Amino acid sequence: MTAYTELENNLEALKLNAIREYLPNYLEGDKQLSLAEILKQLTDKELNYRKQRSARMSIHTAHFPYQKEIKDFDFNFQPSVDKEKIRQIVKFKLNI
């Protein structure tokens, strides 16, 4: 068994699915990145994947009839809601 195959098996056993998915791109790609930079980028992708998966699972578990985003909110229906304030909060949250 090759080292690469063993690495894939380890990533699967550790449930590091995003790293497993993106690893070939890094091995074939830009050779100017250091090992630390590659690992940082791969772990960032894994963390992002887990965050998105967690959000999807929470929505699924909550049994919401459909997913609705802030862009779908009808501010005309509820005029007491300050549209600009909500947009600033969303923009701030996305920048964190």
Side-chain angles (χ1 to χ4, degrees):
M1 192 178 299
T2 67
Y4 182 77
T5 305
E6 289 180 20
L7 174 61
E8 279 193 321
N9 291 341
N10 290 348
L11 293 172
E12 184 176 359
L14 293 168
K15 297 183 184 340
L16 297 172
N17 300 326
I19 292 177
R20 199 165 141 239
E21 178 183 338
Y22 288 103
L23 183 62
N25 298 336
Y26 282 92
L27 294 177
E28 297 168 2
D30 187 5
K31 302 292 184 192
Q32 295 181 353
L33 294 175
S34 71
L35 179 59
E37 291 170 323
I38 290 172
L39 290 173
K40 165 75 169 69
Q41 290 179 13
L42 285 170
T43 54
D44 285 345
K45 289 183 183 301
E46 184 69 36
L47 289 170
N48 187 40
Y49 167 79
R50 289 180 181 213
K51 184 177 178 181
Q52 289 177 352
R53 184 172 179 266
S54 175
R56 283 193 313 269
M57 292 303 294
S58 294
I59 290 169
H60 176 74
T61 302
H63 300 291
F64 291 141
Y66 53 90
Q67 187 172 347
K68 191 169 187 177
E69 297 180 8
I70 195 69
K71 66 182 180 183
D72 303 324
F73 186 77
D74 184 6
F75 288 96
N76 295 325
F77 178 76
Q78 187 66 34
S80 65
V81 175
D82 185 352
K83 183 177 183 177
E84 188 55 37
K85 187 177 268 188
I86 298 298
R87 294 207 189 280
Q88 287 175 355
I89 292 169
V90 169
K91 183 178 177 183
F92 177 75
K93 184 175 180 187
L94 293 176
N95 289 334
I96 291 181

